[in-house]
Amino acid sequence: MAATARYAIGSEVHCSDGACGSLRRVVVDPIAQCVTHLVVGPGSDGDKLVPVELVDDLAEATALTCDRAAFDKLEPAEEHRFLQGREGGLGYNPAQIMMWPYFGPGVAMAGQLSAPVFAPSPYDPRPPAEERVPAGEVQIHRGDRVEAIDGETGRVHGLVVDEADHAVTHVLLAEGHLWGKKTVAVPISQVSRAEGTIRVGLSKEQLKELPDAEAGADG
């Protein structure tokens, strides 16, 4: 992807059988440094997430290879599932970008985990990964409610993605309890989705004992 923005924000978007809206923003994978989806709207039921694989590269304007019926069945572009854009985003300004909540492994995560910015550190707050799942196959979203084996315990903050093969190894869980607030990395093997809820195969006490993913970020 070149430094110049490939997709023109504000341009009209057409399905194979007519106009379907305008290009409002792009969705960027911060690990792979590429645009994965277009945010197109407003439709009758809000903005839609359009995979770039549906863009007709041979067309002069922004055209999709799907028809309007297929477009209407695409996932909604729910802003809370994404991180805010930042400077230097593939030629777009921050207001034109939404970022997947992907964080790289092997380094402490700086600040308040508001964006995937990392500070080099020998500290690795993650338990060993026993399983790896391709990022595109993980149906876990930022903001999803999380339940431990003994009750609700927090929300999904993001995913830890290996830069080498783009596989998810851990889910970042933002907790908030009387014993304090912290973000912990839970191995993907311990996480499942059922009836709209993310379930973790650990107790609240076990989650409490996991190290803080932000610890060491300033060291």
Side-chain angles (χ1 to χ4, degrees):
M1 180 70 69
T4 302
R6 175 180 176 183
Y7 304 103
I9 304 299
S11 61
E12 190 172 67
V13 180
H14 291 263
C15 292
S16 59
D17 54 356
C20 55
S22 62
L23 178 56
R24 300 166 72 85
R25 282 192 280 187
V26 296
V27 180
V28 171
D29 181 332
I31 302 298
Q33 281 294 295
C34 67
V35 174
T36 65
H37 293 72
L38 308 182
V39 177
V40 178
S44 58
D45 57 349
D47 296 346
K48 294 292 187 178
L49 273 182
V50 181
V52 293
E53 290 79 10
L54 292 180
V55 177
D56 185 351
D57 290 331
L58 299 179
E60 293 183 4
T62 304
L64 308 181
T65 57
C66 65
D67 61 18
R68 183 58 187 262
F71 172 84
D72 289 338
K73 294 178 181 178
L74 293 173
E75 286 188 81
E78 299 174 320
E79 190 170 347
H80 68 270
R81 288 172 47 184
F82 300 91
L83 299 171
Q84 294 180 349
R86 64 170 189 255
E87 295 291 346
L90 303 174
Y92 299 93
N93 68 53
Q96 297 172 332
I97 296 174
M98 297 195 303
M99 294 193 303
W100 291 106
Y102 295 166
F103 297 82
V107 288
M109 286 155 273
Q112 298 298 314
L113 293 175
S114 58
V117 178
F118 308 105
S121 169
Y123 175 80
D124 188 345
R126 302 166 301 140
E130 301 172 355
E131 186 177 334
R132 307 164 68 82
V133 180
E137 297 179 11
V138 177
Q139 297 301 306
I140 297 174
H141 304 136
R142 176 177 165 86
D144 282 350
R145 187 169 65 91
V146 180
E147 286 190 0
I149 59 177
D150 52 354
E152 186 171 352
T153 188
R155 300 272 175 173
V156 172
H157 183 80
L159 304 173
V160 178
V161 177
D162 193 318
E163 298 176 13
D165 59 4
H166 218 247
V168 175
T169 60
H170 297 75
V171 175
L172 291 172
L173 169 59
E175 297 182 293
H177 290 289
L178 293 178
W179 43 264
K181 295 182 178 180
K182 67 178 181 179
T183 300
V184 297
V186 180
I188 191 69
S189 60
Q190 295 284 348
V191 181
S192 62
R193 185 182 184 93
E195 300 177 352
T197 299
I198 305 305
R199 305 190 187 281
V200 177
L202 300 171
S203 67
K204 293 179 183 179
E205 186 63 28
Q206 288 173 312
L207 289 169
K208 176 182 176 181
E209 295 304 316
L210 291 177
D212 191 337
E214 292 188 70
D218 298 325

